[in-house]
């Protein structure tokens, strides 16, 4: 039983509260640890069976005793910090749960974790997480029936609800945007018609295409990092196409692509943006500098220069992009907050302009599509779809993202504490159909989280 156990939760981000609530309701005492004590206290305040501590995981003398005192460790920190947590957990033989992909640094610890007999359950959030649970379900059903998966495509997007997608990018941040923006420069790789296809990071936004999986929304999709490994993870060597993508509203890629072209994604430190710089700098002056123009360049001239540089835009896109850049303020005489690099300077203004306001909601859209060849030769298409809206922003409310990451994490923690997951070392929901079924069923029964599944049969044309 999990009741009476102690969990150490590292991190105090927006996905933590639903996980803490679910675990404390199940009788697990949760200690929330953050470098900033007030951040941890904000999560535990008013919740029974919880406590908050200040902890810097870079300090092993502080981390080790906290890990040793717990029955399980939950790392909701950035993925780059998981390895340090798992090393401590190996030393003290404590299981670990994360919502992140299994990184190379974690794979390097796989044999050590197995040797001491601990489970390190990863990829149990939303994407990765819930997506795995339903991919494995359909694939297992098709294989058991003797069929083959000839194509697997999956798209997922964390978006504002349509009524709240009220800025030119159709996007809002509930956390610091830096990581989200840098992810827009990640290269993509996938299987297409039996061959590996790829797109370079600088071309990612150019690869975006209209997506009709959700016809009620105007969405576009682009590749989500490296999907090649999923042919092996999901045990579908027969699949000619294996693709995973990200969803955004129409118009988003063109604005991002233009910002990159201007130079606003540069992480280079610029002297005029230094914190100790005494001379004020306006947005129009910064934009002019990035374009290699005079600081006195007029707004109209700046707009013309942007469109000359962003020659890939159509006439309709050009008007929308210039309007978007104007909304951000890139042609204005407003003074810039100095943050060292163009990227960090841009992040500071987007964090303010693109934040969720009171009463607004986020939305998660996820769909898997499977092309199936049955043993009788009939072809069919199966889909698994989820549309989830968050609660309107208010004190104590839960966003769709927080719910769909935090609750699967809690389900995984409870399964490990009960001993329901026997596998040791690095484990993920795709490790076995049994693990996926266990976690999927509990999410459905306890938290009403599930994907809607449909299938259509491709009928051959009849000639009379």
């Amino acid at each position: 039983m999990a009741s009476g156990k102690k969990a150490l939760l590292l991190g105090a981000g927006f996905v933590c509260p639903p996980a803490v609530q679910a675990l404390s309701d199940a009788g697990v005492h949760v200690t929330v640890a953050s470098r900033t004590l007030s951040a941890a206290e904000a999560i535990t305040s008013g919740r029974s069976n919880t406590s908050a501590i200040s902890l810097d995981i870079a300090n092993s003398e502080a981390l080790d005793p906290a890990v040793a005192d717990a029955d399980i460790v939950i790392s909701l920190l950035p993925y780059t910090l998981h390895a340090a947590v798992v090393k401590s957990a190996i030393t003290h033989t404590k299981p670990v749960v994360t919502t992140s992909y299994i990184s190379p640094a974690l794979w390097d610890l796989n044999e050590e974790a197995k040797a001491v007999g601990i489970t390190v359950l990863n990829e149990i959030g939303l994407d990765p997480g819930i997506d795995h649970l339903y991919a494995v379900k359909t694939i297992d059903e098709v294989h058991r029936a003797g069929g083959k998966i000839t194509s697997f495509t999956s798209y997922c997007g964390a978006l504002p609800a349509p009524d709240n997608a009220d800025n030119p990018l159709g996007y809002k941040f509930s956390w610091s945007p830096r990581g989200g923006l840098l992810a827009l420069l990640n290269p993509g790789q996938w299987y297409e018609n039996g061959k590996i296809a790829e797109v370079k990071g600088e071309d990612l936004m150019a690869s975006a295409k209209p997506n009709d999986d959700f016809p009620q929304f105007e969405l576009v999709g682009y590749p989500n990092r490296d999907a090649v490994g999923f042919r092996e993870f999901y045990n579908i060597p027969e699949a000619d196409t294996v693709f995973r993508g990200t969803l955004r509203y129409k118009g988003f890629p063109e604005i991002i692509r233009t910002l990159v072209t201007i130079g606003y994604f540069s992480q280079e430190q610029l002297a005029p943006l230094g914190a100790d710089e005494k001379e004020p700098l306006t947005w129009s002056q910064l934009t002019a500098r990035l374009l290699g123009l005079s600081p006195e360049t007029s707004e109209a001239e700046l707009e013309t220069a942007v469109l000359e540089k962003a020659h890939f835009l159509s006439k309709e896109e050009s008007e929308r992009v210039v309007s978007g850049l104007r909304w951000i303020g890139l042609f204005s005489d407003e003074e810039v907050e100095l943050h060292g690099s163009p990227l960090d300077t841009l992040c500071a203004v987007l964090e303010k302009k693109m934040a969720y306001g009171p009463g607004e909601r986020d939305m998660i859209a996820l769909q898997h599509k499977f092309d199936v060849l049955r043993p009788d030769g009939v072809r069919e298409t199966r889909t698994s779809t989820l549309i989830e809206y968050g609660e309107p922003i208010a004190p104590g409310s839960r966003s769709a993202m927080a719910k769909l990451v935090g609750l699967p994490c809690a389900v995984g923690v409870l399964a490990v504490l009960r001993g329901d997951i026997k596998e040791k070392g690095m484990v993920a929901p795709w490790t076995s159909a049994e693990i996926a079924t266990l976690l999927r069923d509990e999410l459905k029964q306890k938290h009403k989280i599930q994907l809607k599944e449909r299938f259509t049969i491709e009928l051959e044309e009849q000639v009379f």
Side-chain angles (χ1 to χ4, degrees):
M1 295 294 292
S3 181
K5 298 289 188 179
K6 295 186 293 183
L8 173 66
L9 189 152
L10 301 169
F14 73 105
V15 302
C16 295
V20 172
Q21 184 67 61
L23 292 172
S24 61
D25 287 348
V28 177
H29 181 91
V30 184
T31 298
V32 179
S34 173
R35 280 190 304 179
T36 307
L37 180 59
S38 60
E41 290 176 334
I43 293 174
T44 59
S45 177
R47 300 185 194 276
S48 60
N49 215 19
T50 64
S51 56
I53 62 171
S54 174
L55 178 65
D56 181 356
I57 75 150
N59 181 357
S60 60
E61 292 183 0
L63 176 63
D64 284 344
V67 169
D69 189 51
D71 294 303
I72 193 167
V73 181
I74 309 159
S75 183
L76 295 179
L77 299 164
Y79 78 94
T80 54
L81 302 176
H82 292 332
V85 174
V86 172
K87 286 178 183 177
S88 180
I90 288 171
T91 299
H92 300 285
T93 61
K94 305 294 182 178
V96 180
V97 174
T98 87
T99 58
S100 305
Y101 289 108
I102 304 176
S103 66
L106 288 187
W107 279 122
D108 288 343
L109 297 171
N110 187 40
E111 294 306 318
E112 289 183 54
K114 285 183 177 180
V116 299
I118 65 167
T119 298
V120 183
L121 176 63
N122 303 274
E123 305 188 23
I124 183 59
L126 166 64
D127 177 10
I130 294 173
D131 56 337
H132 290 329
L133 302 181
Y134 281 83
V136 170
K137 179 179 186 293
T138 296
I139 291 166
D140 186 56
E141 289 172 350
V142 169
H143 284 172
R144 285 178 181 272
K148 296 179 179 180
I149 305 291
T150 59
S151 173
F152 169 78
T153 60
S154 177
Y155 282 95
C156 185
L159 303 158
D163 292 347
N164 302 132
D166 51 7
N167 64 54
L169 286 93
Y171 194 73
K172 293 189 176 180
F173 296 98
S174 53
W175 62 92
S176 173
R178 194 177 199 276
L181 291 180
L182 285 176
L184 301 174
L185 299 177
N186 286 327
Q189 192 168 262
W190 64 97
Y191 279 106
E192 185 172 341
N193 298 322
K195 298 180 180 179
I196 292 179
E198 57 186 6
V199 61
K200 295 179 180 179
E202 59 265 32
D203 298 325
L204 184 65
M205 292 297 96
S207 72
K209 298 177 181 178
N211 180 283
D212 59 3
D213 292 337
F214 301 89
Q216 65 271 51
F217 312 121
E218 280 195 301
L219 300 177
V220 296
Y222 53 85
N224 179 10
R225 306 197 188 197
D226 189 352
V228 169
F230 284 86
R231 189 157 78 165
E232 178 184 349
F233 298 155
Y234 287 164
N235 190 29
I236 47 174
E238 72 274 21
D240 288 330
T241 297
V242 178
F243 178 90
R244 300 174 78 250
T246 298
L247 296 171
R248 291 290 182 263
Y249 285 111
K250 179 182 177 182
F252 178 91
E254 290 78 21
I255 293 179
I256 295 298
R257 193 179 177 191
T258 303
L259 287 168
V260 172
T261 299
I262 295 172
Y264 270 105
F265 271 54
S266 170
Q267 300 179 65
E268 179 185 355
Q269 298 295 302
L270 296 184
L273 295 176
D276 56 352
E277 178 61 41
K278 300 295 189 294
E279 286 293 321
L281 183 71
T282 68
W283 280 103
S284 62
Q285 289 172 336
L286 176 57
T287 301
R289 179 187 176 92
L290 293 175
L291 289 168
L293 302 174
S294 163
E296 286 75 36
T297 304
S298 69
E299 179 175 340
E301 290 171 325
L302 284 177
E303 292 179 3
T304 298
V306 165
L307 293 180
E308 287 177 353
K309 206 164 181 76
H311 53 81
F312 45 81
L313 298 172
S314 67
K315 186 175 186 299
E316 179 189 353
E317 290 169 345
S318 295
E319 294 173 356
R320 188 168 61 238
V321 167
V322 168
S323 176
L325 300 186
R326 195 181 295 128
W327 174 83
I328 295 171
L330 302 191
F331 308 126
S332 76
D333 291 329
E334 185 178 342
E335 284 190 19
V336 173
E337 287 185 22
L338 307 179
H339 289 273
S341 72
L343 175 67
D344 291 314
T345 300
L346 176 66
C347 285
V349 71
L350 293 186
E351 192 166 6
K352 294 176 181 177
K353 284 183 169 285
M354 296 172 63
Y356 283 94
E360 295 186 337
R361 301 185 300 165
D362 70 330
M363 176 185 78
I364 301 296
L366 165 65
Q367 186 177 88
H368 296 323
K369 185 178 292 183
F370 309 84
D371 289 341
V372 176
L373 177 62
R374 299 193 330 200
D376 60 4
V378 172
R379 295 186 180 274
E380 65 181 29
T381 299
R382 297 193 183 197
T383 57
S384 303
T385 307
L386 172 70
I387 299 177
E388 182 82 20
Y389 291 94
E391 299 166 1
I393 299 294
S397 65
R398 299 187 302 180
S399 67
M401 175 64 86
K403 175 182 175 182
L404 295 182
V405 175
L407 294 180
C409 175
V411 164
V413 170
L414 293 173
V416 174
L417 284 175
R418 291 193 304 262
D420 292 340
I421 296 178
K422 309 297 184 185
E423 287 80 352
K424 306 303 178 185
M426 300 303 140
V427 180
W430 45 261
T431 301
S432 73
E434 290 73 23
I435 291 176
T437 299
L438 167 73
L439 300 173
R440 184 178 60 247
D441 288 352
E442 191 156 339
L443 265 181
K444 177 181 176 181
Q445 293 163 10
K446 291 191 175 180
H447 302 293
K448 312 301 181 189
I449 295 173
Q450 65 181 114
L451 272 62
K452 293 183 179 179
E453 299 173 284
R454 299 183 61 186
F455 75 92
T456 55
I457 296 176
E458 181 181 316
L459 297 176
E460 293 185 8
E461 184 178 354
Q462 299 296 313
V463 180
F464 297 94

